[in-house]
Amino acid sequence: MSSQSFEFNASNLEAWQKAAVKSAPGGDVNALNWKTPDGIVVKPLYTAEDTANLPYANTLPGFEPFLRGPQATMYAVRPWTIRQYAGFSTAEESNAFYRKALAAGGQGVSVAFDLATHRGYDSDHPRVTGDVGKAGVAIDSVEDMKILFDQIPLDKVSVSMTMNGAVLPVLAGYVVAAEEQGVSQDKLSGTIQNDILKEFMVRNTYIYPPEPSMKIIGDIIEYTAKNMPKFNSISISGYHMQEAGANQALEMAFTLADGKEYVKTAIAKGMDVDEFAGRLSFFWAVGMNFYLEIAKMRAARLLWCRIMKGFDAKNPKSLMLRTHSQTSGWSLTEQDPYNNVVRTTIEAMAAVFGGTQSLHTNSFDEAIALPTEFSSRIARNTQLIIQEETHITNVIDPWAGSYMMESLTQEMADKAWAIIEEVEAMGGMTKAVGSGWAKLKIEAAAAEKQARIDSGKDVIVGVNKYKLAKEDPIETLSIDNVRVRDGQIERLAKIRATRDSAKVQAALDALSASAESGQGNLLDLSIQAVRLRATVGEISDALEKAFGRHRADTQKVTGVYAAAYDDGENVGDTMEYWNALKADIAAFADAQGRRPRVMISKLGQDGHDRGAKVVATAFADLGFDVDMGPLFQTPEECARQAIENDVHAVGVSTLAAGHKTLVPAIIAELKKQGADDIIVFVGGVIPRQDYDMLYEAGVKGIYGPGTPIPVSGKDVLEQIKKALA
């Protein structure tokens, strides 16, 4: 058989274009282009011409600029660490889960704390009645922390803790629990998230304002550099940005800009950059945009190396970006939930191809409730199968040299760098966050994405296409919040009764004085207080005396959702439905003398407000008058505001499993305050088996993940009409 070599040239490309025209829509090859949410145009065909002038296409892993990975041999010698992010109910139950996970192939512990802990409240505080033990483990003191890590050797097991607001008492509790296990600080390995800037943008589990929060970060970086050399002092997180709606370029740019700000903070404390930079780590979301996620992770390493060279870092470890990754929670659907196993597998492979150092895979039922042991095992085995059965680990950066991937990596880097330069022109990320600009950029991206789904432009299998006629129920995990809280309150009472109260108060006073003066290290002082059995809430209160507690604004973007609907691409049923609903709302306003007025609220300590903000934006674009309640309201406060604002309806957005306690409470409060004509509707992560209980409590509408906003808007309008009839 004879062979003939092929040489690429311009005439070959022209020949391909002529062939492609025959099958391209409308005979236009450009119609095959795909424009990403980041504004990057991805072509259907890439050639050697696309990589001919790229400066980093032929670099090697383990060497600057680390585009192909931070380690020379990557997974060929050591695969990524398998982590299982979990925490629920009590320290005892979470400990049992961790030990089972470690025995079944898990290689590190990743702790999820409940929202009361995140926000610096002890379990007996009146503002957290519906939050204790929900969406994470309740931790009030070092006694809880000791139970959490019982029979888990902290000198051998790496521990990752997602904690930002109450980072001082939680990290101090971990250190003291290890000490009392016989493990010194220098032997501890793991990561504390400690990334407060992103909390002001998206997740909202902050406590103090930005400036004192940055002081806390500097103190933790300083203390761990001196005393905990194996421990990562901060995990700079883009994960929650993407979960809140950011596209990949925004996620990467804002995360790297946050990292740059933290480096400035540590240097301002007098530290040499190479003294701490090697212990900084990152945390990416990995969603369903497969190619972009791989390119994002490669480009991020390139840009971080560039940023650290700007700080005159010399040590190669200071220049390399190391990351944990987690598959997307937002991409999981309530409808046809077993499809989520496939989604998570695809996302996990993107994380691996992108070169992650550790990975958490979400469970398929997390759009419905907390994951069960069954679903967690499938999630963990997804990683084990990729590591053990596919041979993916045998090749280092297998996408290297791909015309498409190398081009896309450079385009992602250029796109993100332009955003970083925009942030720098504002004076850095602290200024960009403080102005509200960064938050609004993410919220606009979220509203645009939701409109694309609701209008059918973006397909979600089982949600807006290929829907099941009937959904079968699946087993879900339910937490008895009252039982957990009662147990925590009892343990708190015992601690307070048996400790030396005078010494505890002296330690708390020392914390307040340090926070006020700026002298001393706050982590060091927190560890001293925790040794004396000061609680999470007490330490947080001591700091709040000096720092105050941050209050977020409730501004929302407008017009973005409608623009995505009205851009001329919508045809058929979705556009007709949208226009008909706008007409119905206008007719209501004519008949009633005012537009239908709704208040969108978040109750308890759940700060995840993507859904609330998107619904508020879309309802306003439809013609509703929309009020946004402040975050962290109690049912009493929410009812009072709803009455004062004379709304027709209150919409409660819930993602942290507090609906069984908090939603009936708001309905009871409205009745108590003489406003039972105000209807209540609920959206978010709610198991189907809880629907009847909520309807019996008086809820008029429940809209789970995947419900098109115009559909929920139509139903809310009809319920308001009924209430007025």
Side-chain angles (χ1 to χ4, degrees), residues 67-377:
L67 182 150
R68 297 191 61 189
Q71 307 299 333
T73 53
M74 291 300 289
Y75 310 142
V77 170
R78 183 186 175 196
W80 66 92
T81 301
I82 298 173
R83 291 194 178 276
Q84 197 78 20
Y85 176 60
F88 49 87
S89 185
T90 63
E92 289 89 346
E93 290 179 60
S94 295
N95 171 262
F97 179 92
Y98 298 150
R99 285 161 56 192
K100 279 185 183 177
L102 289 168
Q107 295 157 349
V109 170
S110 293
V111 183
F113 298 94
D114 73 357
L115 290 167
T117 306
H118 272 289
R119 294 272 292 145
Y121 293 114
D122 286 334
S123 297
D124 57 358
H125 197 285
R127 296 195 75 88
V128 298
T129 53
D131 298 301
V132 177
K134 293 283 193 178
V137 60
I139 297 293
D140 292 317
S141 74
V142 69
E143 295 300 330
D144 292 327
M145 200 69 88
K146 286 168 66 178
I147 294 167
L148 188 68
F149 296 118
D150 182 43
Q151 298 182 59
I152 296 174
L154 295 178
D155 56 341
K156 295 181 177 64
V157 175
S158 169
V159 174
S160 172
M161 292 179 285
T162 300
M163 179 53 62
N164 303 282
V167 63
L168 287 169
V170 166
L171 182 53
Y174 164 70
V175 168
V176 176
E179 287 176 353
E180 297 186 9
Q181 197 186 86
V183 179
S184 59
Q185 295 179 26
D186 62 310
K187 292 184 173 60
L188 295 174
S189 63
T191 305
I192 186 81
Q193 192 162 100
N194 192 28
D195 175 10
I196 202 63
L197 284 175
K198 69 101 174 37
E199 297 296 325
F200 296 111
M201 282 187 274
V202 291
R203 193 161 170 260
N204 301 307
T205 57
Y206 45 70
I207 301 176
Y208 318 109
E211 190 173 333
S213 296
M214 293 296 285
K215 151 75 173 162
I216 290 170
I217 286 171
D219 281 7
I220 290 173
I221 292 174
E222 179 184 55
Y223 184 93
T224 52
K226 291 178 181 176
N227 300 286
M228 302 166 67
K230 296 167 127 184
F231 198 81
N232 297 322
S233 56
I234 192 166
S235 174
I236 305 152
S237 173
Y239 182 85
H240 304 98
M241 296 182 201
Q242 188 178 137
E243 289 290 279
N247 56 43
Q248 282 78 10
L250 271 180
E251 177 198 4
M252 174 168 48
F254 285 172
T255 305
L256 296 178
D258 280 352
K260 189 173 183 180
E261 200 83 344
Y262 298 139
V263 172
K264 290 178 187 175
T265 299
I267 290 173
K269 288 187 70 68
M271 300 179 70
D272 179 84
V273 65
D274 286 320
E275 188 181 350
F276 65 88
R279 302 313 304 178
L280 303 178
S281 68
F282 288 78
F283 176 23
W284 301 122
V286 183
M288 286 297 289
N289 207 325
F290 186 76
Y291 295 138
L292 255 63
E293 293 294 2
I294 299 169
K296 175 189 77 181
M297 295 173 74
R298 300 172 90 244
R301 289 191 291 269
L302 169 67
L303 295 186
W304 185 245
C305 183
R306 183 187 300 176
I307 287 169
M308 294 309 293
K309 277 186 166 293
F311 288 110
D312 201 27
K314 303 287 195 304
N315 190 327
K317 290 186 177 180
S318 301
L319 303 174
M320 63 175 67
L321 182 153
R322 296 163 301 111
T323 190
H324 171 68
S325 301
Q326 180 174 338
T327 59
S328 173
W330 184 83
S331 70
L332 304 179
T333 64
E334 178 191 35
Q335 298 87 344
D336 208 355
Y338 290 107
N339 289 343
N340 295 333
V341 177
V342 181
R343 293 186 178 102
T344 295
T345 303
I346 291 167
E347 291 166 352
M349 290 180 67
V352 170
F353 283 137
T356 192
Q357 277 61 70
S358 67
L359 177 63
H360 165 86
T361 33
N362 287 337
S363 301
F364 70 82
D365 50 0
E366 290 187 43
I368 303 166
L370 294 170
T372 62
E373 190 171 326
F374 169 72
S375 66
S376 295
R377 180 173 59 83

Side-chain angles (χ1 to χ4, degrees), residues 448-512:
E448 183 180 3
K449 176 64 176 178
Q450 190 62 50
R452 292 185 65 84
I453 294 170
D454 289 348
S455 64
K457 290 182 199 171
D458 288 357
V459 172
I460 309 295
V461 173
V463 175
N464 62 3
K465 199 172 184 180
Y466 313 113
K467 295 172 69 172
L468 287 176
K470 179 179 178 294
E471 296 274 355
D472 294 324
I474 66 169
E475 179 188 350
T476 58
L477 177 66
S478 180
I479 302 297
D480 184 347
N481 163 248
V482 175
R483 177 187 64 82
V484 176
R485 188 166 186 261
D486 286 346
Q488 291 299 118
I489 291 172
E490 183 180 347
R491 188 175 293 156
L492 275 167
K494 286 180 182 176
I495 289 168
R496 288 172 179 149
T498 55
R499 67 189 184 181
D500 188 325
S501 298
K503 287 184 178 179
V504 171
Q505 190 57 54
L508 294 173
D509 290 343
L511 264 171
S512 297

Side-chain angles (χ1 to χ4, degrees), residues 496-688:
R496 288 172 179 149
T498 55
R499 67 189 184 181
D500 188 325
S501 298
K503 287 184 178 179
V504 171
Q505 190 57 54
L508 294 173
D509 290 343
L511 264 171
S512 297
S514 176
E516 188 71 46
S517 68
Q519 303 301 308
N521 186 286
L522 292 173
L523 178 54
D524 185 25
L525 291 166
S526 296
I527 290 170
Q528 293 177 41
V530 166
R531 286 182 183 130
L532 296 167
R533 273 30 187 188
T535 68
V536 168
E538 290 165 345
I539 290 173
S540 299
D541 287 347
L543 295 167
E544 188 179 340
K545 285 180 182 177
F547 294 154
R549 188 172 276 264
H550 181 68
R551 300 283 186 271
D553 62 57
T554 54
Q555 61 181 321
K556 60 183 181 294
V557 296
T558 57
V560 175
Y561 187 94
Y565 244 94
D566 296 339
D567 64 2
E569 290 184 32
N570 283 289
V571 292
D573 294 344
T574 59
M575 196 61 189
E576 290 175 11
Y577 195 98
W578 174 261
N579 288 330
L581 179 53
K582 288 176 73 175
D584 285 348
I585 291 169
F588 177 97
D590 289 340
Q592 296 293 325
R594 66 173 182 139
R595 295 191 290 180
R597 191 177 190 94
V598 300
M599 174 177 158
I600 306 298
S601 62
K602 296 287 296 182
L603 301 179
Q605 301 305 307
D606 175 16
H608 295 82
D609 62 351
R610 172 180 182 158
K613 289 291 185 73
V614 169
V615 169
T617 293
F619 272 39
D621 289 351
L622 279 164
F624 285 89
D625 275 335
V626 180
D627 298 323
M628 282 292 298
L631 289 171
F632 315 123
Q633 280 190 314
T634 64
E636 295 83 359
E637 291 164 346
C638 180
R640 193 179 313 121
Q641 183 180 352
I643 293 167
E644 289 172 354
N645 290 10
D646 193 22
V647 303
H648 294 104
V650 172
V652 179
S653 172
T654 174
L655 284 99
H659 56 275
K660 292 172 76 172
T661 304
L662 296 169
V663 173
I666 179 64
I667 294 170
E669 274 300 318
L670 287 168
K671 288 180 180 177
K672 180 180 173 182
Q673 297 184 37
D676 52 359
D677 58 329
I678 296 176
I679 69 166
V680 174
F681 61 97
V682 188
V685 178
I686 304 168
R688 290 272 173 182

